[in-house]
């Protein structure tokens, strides 16, 4: 069912939640009860002032009545259905389900995320058991010690008489090896306990750091005031795994360097005058484009430029930082859309790309995206640079004169864009897209 035909159902569900009678709502909106009945049964379209009046009476944003649940929630439900083998979920009615039962929809989406997190934890632990050098070294030490103890014990068990001095040496060796084995066992158990806890909570060290940045609102007042990155990390890293602590300290050092180069008061003054434009910051402060994008994404929530999202990837295309926006969700798992400006920027180093981007199949929700690829480290003689790409994005209204809007997806599996040349797998959004792809 098309999303714009579900407005009436959402009005009815919201009225029921508030305990309003149909006649009472019609009277407050200045329409007849019979006309409201037609609207609620999706037999009359609604818009303009009447939609605004009903939204005000029902105490919701008009977009919640016209668009219903966020696209990210609907995408999560579609993804949940796609990952369940033999699923019989009615994918063509997922919008209706999310609009009529948002609580249940969020519960299912959160359950799917939890399941995927647990699956990733199992994969992480399995990989660690197979490839972790510290674990391999600990197991090798334990096996060597056990072998030494067994050898000494077998010699003492021989029927021939052994010189008392040699007996004392063997007993001393067994005692020392046993003590070393006990210490190695305790260290191994502590190491596995710490890693299991970190894996069960966040899956990977990168996800631990991402969760911490999200909890802080991607803004660190202490670093803005000159606090040392190491001191800030010491206050935040208590519950992180060792690997995540390394990543956190690296990220905070970059944040502190950005804050020192582009002080917060001057940046806030610049965005008040020119908005979230990384090129304007570049011209004003003489910094590189990537630093300007990171700085804009680290502003406080009440900054005049509004919300700013950010995605960073390495030369392989793997995301190393993500700050999504409602208009531009970034999936935690799976491959992202190769049409995002973030990835074409890797093939055009040092060129700032500016695009108006919108997710296919969504009404509204366009963003202005800037992307650039720059060397990730200082140049070295006779070495090719390793590039890192940044993409900053902000909500945008109507298209500028003559500018086209590029349609992209979240991932191929839940992308509604037909005949996409970059599609890796068929879409779940209907046969029409697949036939024309």
């Amino acid at each position: 069912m098309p999303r714009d035909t579900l407005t009436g159902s959402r009005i009815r569900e919201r009225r029921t939640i508030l305990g309003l009678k149909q006649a009472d709502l019609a009277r407050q909106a200045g329409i007849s009860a019979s006309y409201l009945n037609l609207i609620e049964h999706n037999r009359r379209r609604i818009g303009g002032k009447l939609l605004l009046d009903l939204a005000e009476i029902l105490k919701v944003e008009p977009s919640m009545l016209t668009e219903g649940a966020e696209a990210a929630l609907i995408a999560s439900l579609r993804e949940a259905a796609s990952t369940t083998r033999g699923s019989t979920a009615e994918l063509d009615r997922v919008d209706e389900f999310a609009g009529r039962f948002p609580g249940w929809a969020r519960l299912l989406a959160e359950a799917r995320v939890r399941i995927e997190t647990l699956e990733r934890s199992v994969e992480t632990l399995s990989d660690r058991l197979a490839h972790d050098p510290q674990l391999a070294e600990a197991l090798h030490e334990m096996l060597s010690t056990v072998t030494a103890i067994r050898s000494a014990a077998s010699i003492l068990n021989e029927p021939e008489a052994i010189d008392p001095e040699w007996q004392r040496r063997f007993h001393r060796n067994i005692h020392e090896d046993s003590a070393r084995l006990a210490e190695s066992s305790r260290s191994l158990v502590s190491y596995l306990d710490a890693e299991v806890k970190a894996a069960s909570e966040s899956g990977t060290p990168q996800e631990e750091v991402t969760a911490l940045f999200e909890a802080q609102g991607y803004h660190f007042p202490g670093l803005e005031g000159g606090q040392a990155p190491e001191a800030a990390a010491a206050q935040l890293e208590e519950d992180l795994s060792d690997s995540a602590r390394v990543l956190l300290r690296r990220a905070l050092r970059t944040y502190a360097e950005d804050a020192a180069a582009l002080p917060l008061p001057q940046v806030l003054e610049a965005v008040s005058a020119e908005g979230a434009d990384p090129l304007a910051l570049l011209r004003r402060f003489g910094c590189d484009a990537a630093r300007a994008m990171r700085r804009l994404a680290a502003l406080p929530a009440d900054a005049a430029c509004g919300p700013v999202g950010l995605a960073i990837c390495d030369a392989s295309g793997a995301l190393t930082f993500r700050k999504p926006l409602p208009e531009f969700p970034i999936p935690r798992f799976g491959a992202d859309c190769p049409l995002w400006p973030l990835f074409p920027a890797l093939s055009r180093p040092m060129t700032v790309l500016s695009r108006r981007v919108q997710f296919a199949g969504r009404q509204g929700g366009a963003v202005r995206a800037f992307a650039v690829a720059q060397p990730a480290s200082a140049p070295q003689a006779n070495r090719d640079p390793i590039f890192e790409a940044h993409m900053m994005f902000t909500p945008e209204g109507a298209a500028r004169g003559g500018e086209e809007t590029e349609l992209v997806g979240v991932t191929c599996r839940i992308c509604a864009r037909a005949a996409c040349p970059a599609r890796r797998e068929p879409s779940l959004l209907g046969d029409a897209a697949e036939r024309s792809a």
Side-chain angles (χ1 to χ4, degrees):
M1 183 181 295
R3 181 177 299 181
D4 60 359
T5 66
L6 299 174
T7 303
S9 298
R10 298 187 185 103
I11 292 174
R12 183 174 67 253
E13 294 298 326
R14 182 62 182 171
R15 175 178 60 78
T16 303
I17 292 173
L18 296 178
L20 279 175
K21 294 183 179 180
Q22 194 176 70
D24 294 335
L25 177 58
R27 184 176 62 257
Q28 294 182 47
I31 60 176
S32 66
S34 59
Y35 185 63
L36 178 58
N37 183 65
L38 293 174
I39 292 175
E40 289 189 349
H41 285 83
N42 301 306
R43 296 171 64 183
R44 291 293 186 275
R45 293 184 179 273
I46 179 176
K49 183 177 183 303
L50 178 56
L51 175 63
L52 298 178
D53 291 343
L54 287 173
E56 182 178 358
I57 298 169
L58 296 173
K59 301 176 182 179
V60 294
E61 292 292 329
S63 60
M64 288 301 296
L65 298 179
T66 57
E67 297 185 11
E70 294 183 356
L73 175 59
I74 295 175
S76 296
L77 292 175
R78 292 186 181 277
E79 188 71 15
S82 70
T83 55
T84 303
R85 183 172 299 177
S87 171
T88 59
E90 297 85 352
L91 291 175
D92 58 332
R93 303 187 65 184
V94 65
D95 287 21
E96 181 180 3
F97 174 71
R100 296 186 62 184
F101 308 104
W104 280 105
R106 283 191 293 270
L107 178 63
L108 287 176
E110 291 168 1
R112 166 187 164 268
V113 171
R114 178 63 177 164
I115 291 172
E116 289 197 348
T117 300
L118 293 175
E119 290 176 346
R120 289 286 294 274
S121 298
V122 172
E123 293 174 0
T124 301
L125 292 173
S126 298
D127 182 73
R128 186 170 289 129
L129 287 172
H131 303 104
D132 191 329
Q134 181 171 339
L135 179 59
E137 182 180 351
L139 291 175
H140 177 73
E141 174 68 19
M142 292 179 65
L143 291 174
S144 299
T145 304
V146 169
T147 302
I149 293 174
R150 186 177 185 279
S151 298
S154 63
I155 293 175
L156 290 174
N157 195 44
E158 291 293 332
E160 293 82 2
I162 301 177
D163 183 80
E165 177 61 26
W166 281 103
Q167 285 186 0
R168 284 193 295 271
R169 290 184 181 181
F170 282 126
H171 284 139
R172 184 173 62 252
N173 289 343
I174 291 176
H175 174 74
E176 292 175 353
D177 289 341
S178 299
R180 189 166 69 251
L181 178 62
E183 180 61 29
S184 299
S185 301
R186 283 192 294 269
S187 299
L188 181 59
V189 170
S190 299
Y191 172 71
L192 290 177
D193 282 346
E195 294 299 319
V196 168
K197 179 178 183 293
S200 64
E201 290 179 350
S202 298
T204 67
Q206 185 66 54
E207 290 173 16
E208 292 182 68
V209 175
T210 298
L212 189 149
F213 266 72
E214 183 179 0
Q216 297 293 320
Y218 302 91
H219 180 72
F220 296 86
L223 295 178
E224 300 288 352
Q227 183 184 23
E230 293 74 15
Q235 298 174 354
L236 299 169
E237 65 185 13
E238 180 179 357
D239 297 327
L240 300 183
S241 64
D242 291 341
S243 298
R245 292 179 182 182
V246 174
L247 296 181
L248 175 64
R249 290 175 180 269
R250 184 187 306 166
L252 293 184
R253 281 195 295 270
T254 301
Y255 188 109
E257 293 170 0
D258 293 343
L262 284 72
L264 182 61
Q266 287 89 322
V267 175
L268 292 176
E269 178 184 353
V271 299
S272 297
E274 303 180 79
D277 185 351
L279 297 181
L281 287 189
L282 184 153
R283 291 188 294 268
R284 179 178 292 222
F285 294 96
C287 63
D288 60 70
R291 171 163 286 175
M293 293 179 189
R294 292 195 302 267
R295 202 71 187 102
L296 289 170
L299 295 180
D302 58 354
C305 61
V308 177
L310 181 67
I312 304 175
C313 76
D314 60 19
S316 71
L319 286 185
T320 58
F321 183 89
R322 50 168 55 85
K323 180 187 177 184
L325 294 180
E327 296 83 0
F328 201 101
I330 303 176
R332 290 181 59 199
F333 307 119
D336 307 301
C337 175
L339 299 180
W340 293 0
L342 177 69
F343 304 116
L346 288 169
S347 63
R348 301 173 63 182
M350 310 305 295
T351 301
V352 178
L353 306 181
S354 176
R355 302 284 189 272
R356 187 177 190 271
V357 178
Q358 182 177 359
F359 283 110
R362 288 194 63 180
Q363 299 295 324
V367 300
R368 167 63 52 182
F370 293 91
V372 67
Q374 298 180 179
S377 59
Q380 300 182 25
N382 301 319
R383 294 282 184 90
D384 292 333
I386 302 298
F387 286 96
E388 182 180 58
H390 290 61
M391 181 178 70
M392 187 205 86
F393 43 92
T394 57
E396 183 169 86
R400 302 172 185 177
E403 184 180 26
E404 294 185 359
T405 300
E406 294 189 5
L407 297 180
V408 300
V410 180
T411 62
C412 286
R413 185 174 294 181
I414 54 174
C415 177
R417 178 175 176 175
C420 177
R423 181 173 295 284
R424 293 182 295 268
E425 57 183 324
S427 172
L428 296 173
L429 300 185
D431 296 336
E434 297 180 10
R435 286 195 299 268
S436 58

